[in-house]
Structures are given as C-alpha cells and as structure tokens.
Amino acid sequence: MQIDFLDPKLRKLCENSREAEKKLGSNCARKLRSRLSDLEAVAHVRELNAGRPHPLERDRLGQFALDLADGKRLVFKPDHEPVPQDTEGNIDWSQITAITIIYIGDYHD
C-alpha cells in the first residue's frame, strides 16, 4: 500500500526510530515500526489483520485506526480522490490502496 503523511513531523516520527522512541517509548515505537511494515505489505486496507484494524466513527468518521501500545493508535485516512464508496455510501476500505497517516497518539486524551 502507498503511505503518505499529513506533515513532516509525522513522517519523521514514523521514519526515525530514535525520534519514535523518544516521543512514544520503546514498546510503542516497536509496535509503530511493525504496523508500518504491515501497511506496506498489504494491497488494501481490508487485508490488514494486526493491530485490531477498525474504522472510526463520530468526529473521526472516514478515518481508520490500528492499535499500537499504551493506548496509542496509528490513525489514517484514504488518500484517494474521489474516495471509493460501497453501495451504501460508506468508504469501501477494500478499495483503499493509498493512505495518509494523520495522527499517532491517544485520541481519547
């Protein structure tokens, strides 16, 4: 899958192990590296099986999350224009082959 980042800070967090360990802790940084490898290995979002992949709701509708560690999550959105939809008008995650990582942390804080 193709992966992009919302901003340079997120890119640095994902691509620099030292930065990830400093900001997230070693356990969460290790999970982040694993989840990024999982994302790179699949063709589309529905192929994900690690990290309790799940679409989000309410104020995060249209976003998808993977669990990391310590309550933190990797959150991304489709990077398609237009976004593929199913017959009910929802995002068709089986057609999402490009994503933008938009948040890493605990969005419940």
Side-chain angles (χ1 to χ4, degrees):
M1 181 171 346
Q2 180 181 333
I3 302 171
D4 200 3
F5 303 90
L6 181 65
D7 58 40
K9 288 174 72 174
L10 274 173
R11 178 181 295 277
K12 182 177 181 182
L13 187 63
C14 289
E15 294 179 348
N16 184 313
S17 296
R18 188 175 301 168
E19 182 74 12
E21 286 189 26
K22 184 173 129 183
K23 299 278 186 189
L24 304 171
S26 61
N27 188 33
C28 192
R30 188 177 75 255
K31 289 286 188 184
L32 175 60
R33 286 189 299 275
S34 178
R35 298 297 175 254
L36 290 168
S37 292
D38 294 339
L39 287 165
E40 290 172 349
V42 299
H44 56 77
V45 172
R46 282 287 177 219
E47 288 183 345
L48 292 167
N49 54 24
R52 199 176 62 89
H54 55 284
L56 299 176
E57 300 174 341
R58 291 183 278 244
D59 62 331
R60 290 196 173 270
L61 189 64
Q63 301 174 6
F64 207 90
L66 299 175
D67 290 349
L68 296 175
D70 307 319
K72 293 179 178 62
R73 290 170 180 71
L74 180 153
V75 180
F76 59 86
K77 66 179 184 174
D79 192 4
H80 291 266
E81 193 59 48
V83 174
Q85 296 183 339
D86 62 20
T87 56
E88 297 174 5
N90 300 310
I91 295 173
D92 185 353
W93 292 102
S94 68
Q95 299 297 313
I96 303 301
T97 58
I99 62 167
T100 298
I101 295 175
I102 59 171
Y103 181 78
I104 296 172
D106 185 348
Y107 52 73
H108 295 112
D109 284 345

